[in-house]
Amino acid sequence: MVLVSAPGKVILFGEHAVVYGEPALAGAIDRRTYLKAEKTKKGIKIRSEGSKEKDFPYVEKAAELAFEHIGRECGLEIEISSELPPASGLGTSASVAVSTILAVSELLGGGLEKKEIARLGHRVELEVQGAASPTDTATTTLGGILFILPKKQVFEPVEGELPLVIGYTKETSLTGELVRRVRERRDRNPEVVDPIIEDIGRITREAKETLGKGGAGIGELMDINHGLLEALGVGSERLSALVYAAREAGAEGAKITGAGGGGCMVAYAPGKEDAVARAIEEKGGAALKAPITREGVRVER
Ligand code: PMV
């Protein structure tokens, strides 16, 4: 038996644009998904707490790719539990995928390194979702704050402190559907939508520099990024309500995080975390004060 865990993630800048080759800035958050795996004779049996069935295809594909990579296979009995709300855009599916890969590697003596786990995890997302950048899988594997260059598969650690408050709308959304929605909008109006995507890329590069210098100005960049995500069509009334409530309660900036259409927003609120969390709850959201963690996927025991 092996117990592994991996953190959730929050995309700070660059979601959706990263699907088109622009950079993203993402951080691993201190809320984890736990996966217990046992070797059996054959087949894969999965159990989970709460409604995580949507993550089962990620487990199955991750096991398949890990078997193929290691060159051996076995049956598996897997149990998943998570501190993350399901389908919230906080990276449950990526954390489940990389946890499965590490668990299989441990059970079969595969000795997979983090780089290989991140790469296989990305393939899982590509095969299950159709379109996916390496953002979620790299962040949950490696931990910390990462500047991600998707084309070069470069995951650069970024130092910096980020007092964040995450607001969950309690509305679920499907990443694949939102990615498709953006693609359709781009196909209809490429000359309008391409510059928005490039602009998000510029904001993300600027945010990385800003973070390195202590973070002053990050909030405004988040606000601009939020407006551009709205322009791509991934906003929702509830997301906007939480974004505005956070800003009014003293956040320096706030934006959608992840695919949008529901799911979560994130606010940068140094010294105002409690007031911002309260404002989010008063608007009907669930607030999560989740600090960044440096700990990526790991074996618990
Ligand atoms: O739904 P999430 O939080 O996993 O975020 C998806 C981020 C996108 O940029 C929309 C898609 C991707 O694969 O990067």
Side-chain angles (χ1 to χ4, degrees), residues 192-231:
V192 177
V193 174
D194 281 342
I196 297 175
I197 290 171
E198 285 158 25
D199 228 5
I200 294 177
R202 275 187 281 274
I203 293 168
T204 306
R205 281 185 280 270
E206 186 66 31
K208 180 198 169 208
E209 297 304 314
T210 305
L211 204 55
K213 291 184 214 141
I218 279 280
E220 187 166 22
L221 292 172
M222 286 172 98
D223 287 349
I224 302 171
N225 195 161
H226 178 75
L228 296 177
L229 286 167
E230 286 272 4

Side-chain angles (χ1 to χ4, degrees), residues 9 11 14-19 88-91 93 125 129 131-136 173-175 178-179 257-260:
K9 67 92 199 21
I11 300 184
E15 48 275 270
H16 287 289
V18 70
V19 175
S88 58
L90 294 178
S93 46
E125 291 223 312
Q129 261 165 233
S133 75
T135 311
D136 290 16
S173 72
L174 291 174
T175 302
L178 275 300
V179 169
T257 180

Side-chain angles (χ1 to χ4, degrees), residues 65-291:
L65 294 185
F67 292 152
E68 193 185 293
H69 187 86
I70 296 166
R72 286 189 293 282
E73 57 183 272
C74 62
L76 289 172
E77 194 166 312
I78 283 176
E79 200 179 313
I80 306 166
S81 64
S82 181
E83 299 165 348
L84 295 161
S88 58
L90 294 178
T92 337
S93 46
S95 60
V96 163
V98 305
S99 292
T100 305
I101 296 165
L102 177 59
V104 168
S105 171
E106 288 293 312
L107 290 173
L108 295 179
L112 286 186
E113 287 181 5
K114 283 204 168 170
K115 248 191 157 160
E116 290 167 304
I117 296 175
R119 199 177 50 77
L120 285 176
H122 181 215
R123 272 185 61 202
V124 173
E125 291 223 312
L126 279 177
E127 293 193 26
V128 178
Q129 261 165 233
S133 75
T135 311
D136 290 16
T137 38
T139 311
T140 186
T141 305
L142 302 169
I145 301 175
L146 299 177
F147 182 71
I148 288 146
L149 293 166
K151 284 191 191 145
K152 297 188 189 149
Q153 297 271 319
V154 166
F155 314 124
E156 193 186 317
V158 179
E159 292 305 318
E161 281 307 310
L162 276 177
L164 299 174
V165 182
I166 296 166
Y168 176 42
T169 56
K170 302 181 186 166
E171 285 174 326
T172 57
S173 72
L174 291 174
T175 302
E177 232 165 73
L178 275 300
V179 169
R180 197 159 45 246
R181 197 188 294 176
V182 173
R183 186 171 300 283
E184 285 166 6
R185 182 166 284 200
R186 178 175 180 254
D187 287 347
R188 281 191 298 274
N189 295 292
E191 61 298 330
V192 177
V193 174
D194 281 342
I196 297 175
I197 290 171
E198 285 158 25
D199 228 5
I200 294 177
R202 275 187 281 274
I203 293 168
T204 306
R205 281 185 280 270
E206 186 66 31
K208 180 198 169 208
E209 297 304 314
T210 305
L211 204 55
K213 291 184 214 141
I218 279 280
E220 187 166 22
L221 292 172
M222 286 172 98
D223 287 349
I224 302 171
N225 195 161
H226 178 75
L228 296 177
L229 286 167
E230 286 272 4
L232 291 181
V234 300
S236 80
E237 201 175 329
R238 288 175 70 95
L239 275 168
S240 286
L242 301 190
V243 163
Y244 280 93
R247 290 176 188 160
E248 273 155 33
E252 289 183 20
K255 64 182 273 293
I256 292 165
T257 180
C264 291
M265 48 73 69
V266 61
Y268 175 63
K272 300 277 170 62
E273 293 94 324
D274 289 330
V276 168
R278 244 187 339 265
I280 287 169
E281 304 244 323
E282 276 164 17
K283 277 276 178 251
L288 217 66
K289 280 183 282 176

